[in-house]
Amino acid sequence: MSLLAVGTVAFDDIETPMGRAEMAIGGAATYITLAASHFLNDLRLVSVIGDDFPQDMLNFMRQRGIDLEGLQVKAGEKSFFWAGRYHNNMNSRDTLDTQLNVLADFDPVLPDTYKDTDYLMLGNLTPAVQLRVIEQMNKRPKLIALDTMNFWMDIAWDSLMEVLGKIDMLIINDEEARQLSGEHSLVKAAHKIHALGPRFLVIKKGEHGALLFEGDKLFFAPALPLQEVTDPTGAGDTFAGGFMGYIAKTGDTSFENMKRAIIYGSAMASFCVEQFSVDALKSLDAAQINERVKRFVELVNFDLVMEI
């Protein structure tokens, strides 16, 4: 099975209570594909960078089975850049700088070899760009998942509504779900979001876990308590990459299998936050992932001794 990820490949300046990383490798598509590469090796990436992006990182991505034919490289231009500072609780952050650079006029072009991809993960970009990708597919993927944010709800509502009608799964956080639906209750929010198009909905709650909805079906997965969080940047995209990587590996889009995918996605995100940038994802192996998934299972597994 194949997975196509569309999103940013970028640089980040990150400051957290644990330290600082300057010109660190970042971007939604980077995190998504690196996380997914631990589950399958038929990965395609569509994005744009300047010629300032390090060649050794591109080589590493290719070694991980990530096809970069869809990565546009613009000579003489700079890659997308974001700088942010996290507060002490790591749950909120301030954006210090955003430089669109090559992303300002990004027009995604799918190579012919990408147009029959089995699974599609649309990272957080303008809804118009996400629509453009869907329109270039020769056939509908087995599952189309999409990430978005409050900003697009504020400035691109109509095109966001259009793209939501063309996808199978929406992956957003609790604040975004409330704004999109106008409901404070996440259960009520899920019903309203389903009505917009997505059959499946994942609501991320950061250190409080994630919720999976399909109609009246609901599954909750807790986040793994960690001794130390170094850098939350990319955790949501890493979750999405782990989730979609597992779904593509198994070829099973049932609700029961998505519950397992939630756990694998959460496990990948728990590794991501332990180091700056993508460093943790670069050094992972299957044994470490399986061991962490077992910890998740132990966290929620219990015997019912008696009934009242």
Side-chain angles (χ1 to χ4, degrees), residues 2 33 56 83 114 124-125 141 146 173 196 209 252 283 291 294:
S2 55
T33 52
D56 59 347
Y114 287 19
N124 180 22
L125 290 168
L146 179 144
N173 66 32
L196 299 176
D252 182 354
S283 59
E291 181 60 33
K294 288 179 183 178

Side-chain angles (χ1 to χ4, degrees), residues 69-198:
E69 185 182 355
L71 179 64
Q72 302 173 26
V73 182
K74 296 195 174 184
E77 298 189 43
K78 292 184 177 180
S79 303
F80 176 69
F81 171 83
W82 178 83
R85 178 189 298 120
Y86 286 86
H87 299 175
N88 287 333
N89 63 9
M90 294 286 197
N91 290 324
S92 57
R93 68 189 186 190
D94 298 320
T95 293
L96 304 178
D97 190 14
T98 301
Q99 299 175 22
L100 292 177
N101 298 326
V102 294
L103 200 64
D105 56 356
F106 175 46
D107 180 23
V109 177
L110 270 62
D112 289 339
T113 53
Y114 287 19
K115 294 179 181 180
D116 294 309
T117 301
D118 297 305
Y119 296 88
L120 174 60
M121 178 67 222
L122 296 166
N124 180 22
L125 290 168
T126 71
V129 167
Q130 294 169 326
L131 277 167
R132 173 91 174 103
V133 172
I134 295 174
E135 291 167 352
Q136 292 179 68
M137 303 296 293
N138 285 336
K139 63 177 183 180
R140 183 179 177 83
K142 301 177 188 298
L143 185 75
I144 302 176
L146 179 144
D147 184 14
T148 191
M149 65 186 299
N150 306 88
F151 182 70
W152 307 123
M153 299 175 201
D154 292 334
I155 72 163
W157 180 264
D158 290 344
S159 57
L160 177 59
M161 291 301 103
E162 184 178 355
V163 74
L164 288 181
K166 298 179 181 296
I167 65 170
D168 304 295
M169 168 172 279
L170 180 63
I171 303 175
I172 51 178
N173 66 32
D174 49 354
E175 178 187 351
E176 293 158 350
R178 290 186 171 107
Q179 178 170 341
L180 183 61
S181 65
E183 295 284 353
H184 182 78
S185 162
L186 294 180
V187 175
K188 289 182 178 180
H191 284 295
K192 285 199 172 181
I193 292 170
H194 283 320
L196 299 176

